[in-house]
Amino acid sequence: MPAWSLEPDREMRLVCAGGCRTSHDWDEMTLIDLKEHFTMKIQEVRTLVAGYSDETLRQLVSEIYKRLPKKVIEEKQIDSLLQNPQDMAAKNRLVRQKELPDLDEVCWETEKFIRDAREQYYSVPNQVIHKSQRPKWRFVAKRLYKSLIDLSQDTENVLETSRLLTELYKVLCEAYRVYLFNTTNPFASVGIEKSEFYSNVVSVIAQTALPEQWIKEALMLTLEPTVTLDHSIGVALIEKLKTAPLKEMAIAISEQLRKQNTVPTLYRSNRRYYLEQRNNTLTELIFMLHMALSEKEAAIGDFKSHYKDSAAETILYVLLRQLFNYREKELWLREYELGLQQMLQPHHNLVAIYTHLKETGDFPQYF
């Protein structure tokens, strides 16, 4: 039985970021530990405490209260909040409603933006979007993104904002290969790092479902046929998998997806290419997940068994690039020299790195 296949209450405690604490653990919790928990975004805090038992939450509130300075307690009306939580929550909800954009309006505008983009109204002559307005798509996309992120802070909006953020992310991914906007780098044009966008989408998705479901959705976002995996996306995903059981669950789901490798109808004309791309994306993710669990040999073994390319030199190149990312010098040298024994002709970049490693005992600054 996988480590994450447990009774529901036990599973929810395991999936908490950093590992959930029981009531017996709080006496040993340092002030530094507590501060680390409060450097998170509010969505992350909500996700974190969602799995805590009632007793753990009572202990947590008591410990937090004891650590608050008296001035903060008075200024923030903490005593009133504890004595009348419903009244305080209602006041905060009214404040948020005044500050947040209108949900229906943002949803309508986001759906229209996505629809117009896929119709190529921002990239080709048409009568729907005036020529002078087409270059402004990037400002519209960024504003919608920020509005949806803000709206997602209200739990009542999470399901709808999760759906629209996911679709907005997908349409920007599609723009890498389809001429939807006048750019070859849509995320850079919008002014948001792709990994940051992905990370925030996953944070919202994680509030809408149990771990097995949201992890699968997060993995599926990395498999958009219009995008190849870059290391930062894998890192962003793994940062959301706070515990070993979550990482093990992600490996299991990735392996299932790799076995069930399919391609959307839209891409059937290039079916072989996209099947290989999806397989390799999942294989690189599984590699990264094994590395995050310190299962280095499992990572290398799975990669060499499942990564596909007609050229063995390319497979070696991608493996060594991954090992370079993790600064695994001994494993890098071992796999490079195994490639030489198999009569492979490594890329000149690899030759240069190998020479540098042998001469200095360390990697160069860049791959």
Side-chain angles (χ1 to χ4, degrees), residues 252-277:
I253 296 171
S254 297
E255 289 173 343
Q256 291 171 4
L257 291 172
R258 189 166 60 186
K259 289 179 182 177
Q260 303 164 358
N261 200 1
T262 58
V263 173
T265 304
L266 178 64
Y267 301 99
R268 291 286 169 82
S269 60
N270 295 314
R271 185 174 184 275
R272 181 176 178 181
Y273 169 78
Y274 287 116
L275 281 174
E276 185 175 282
Q277 183 187 60

Side-chain angles (χ1 to χ4, degrees), residues 44-89:
E44 295 175 316
V45 173
R46 288 171 178 161
T47 302
L48 175 64
V49 302
Y52 287 5
S53 67
D54 290 344
E55 179 61 25
T56 299
L57 288 172
R58 281 191 287 270
Q59 293 285 342
L60 177 57
V61 171
S62 297
E63 291 297 325
I64 291 172
Y65 188 86
K66 286 192 291 186
R67 286 163 167 76
L68 289 174
K70 183 179 179 181
K71 183 178 179 180
V72 173
I73 292 174
E74 293 174 351
E75 289 180 352
K76 300 299 182 181
Q77 303 178 46
I78 302 300
D79 289 341
S80 297
L81 174 61
L82 291 173
Q83 293 165 358
N84 303 289
Q86 293 180 338
D87 292 344
M88 186 66 69

Side-chain angles (χ1 to χ4, degrees), residues 20 29 68 78 83 92 114 133 144 150 159 182 192 204 206 228 245 264 271 283 314 316 321 356 359:
C20 293
M29 190 175 187
L68 289 174
I78 302 300
Q83 293 165 358
N92 289 339
I114 292 170
Q133 298 302 310
L144 293 173
D150 290 341
L159 282 174
N182 187 24
I192 304 169
V204 178
T228 55
R271 185 174 184 275
T283 299
T314 300
L316 176 65
R321 182 182 63 197
H356 192 280
E359 291 177 351

Side-chain angles (χ1 to χ4, degrees), residues 325-342:
N325 288 335
Y326 289 96
R327 295 300 191 264
E328 291 290 342
K329 292 180 284 189
E330 292 182 5
L331 292 175
W332 198 99
L333 288 170
R334 185 190 75 184
E335 294 303 319
Y336 179 92
E337 290 168 355
L338 280 173
L340 293 181
Q341 292 173 18
Q342 295 167 4

Side-chain angles (χ1 to χ4, degrees), residues 36 39 55 65 81 101 168 189 194 209 226 262 267 287 312:
E36 287 177 351
T39 58
E55 179 61 25
Y65 188 86
L81 174 61
L168 188 58
S189 295
K194 185 169 68 175
T226 52
T262 58
Y267 301 99
F287 177 95

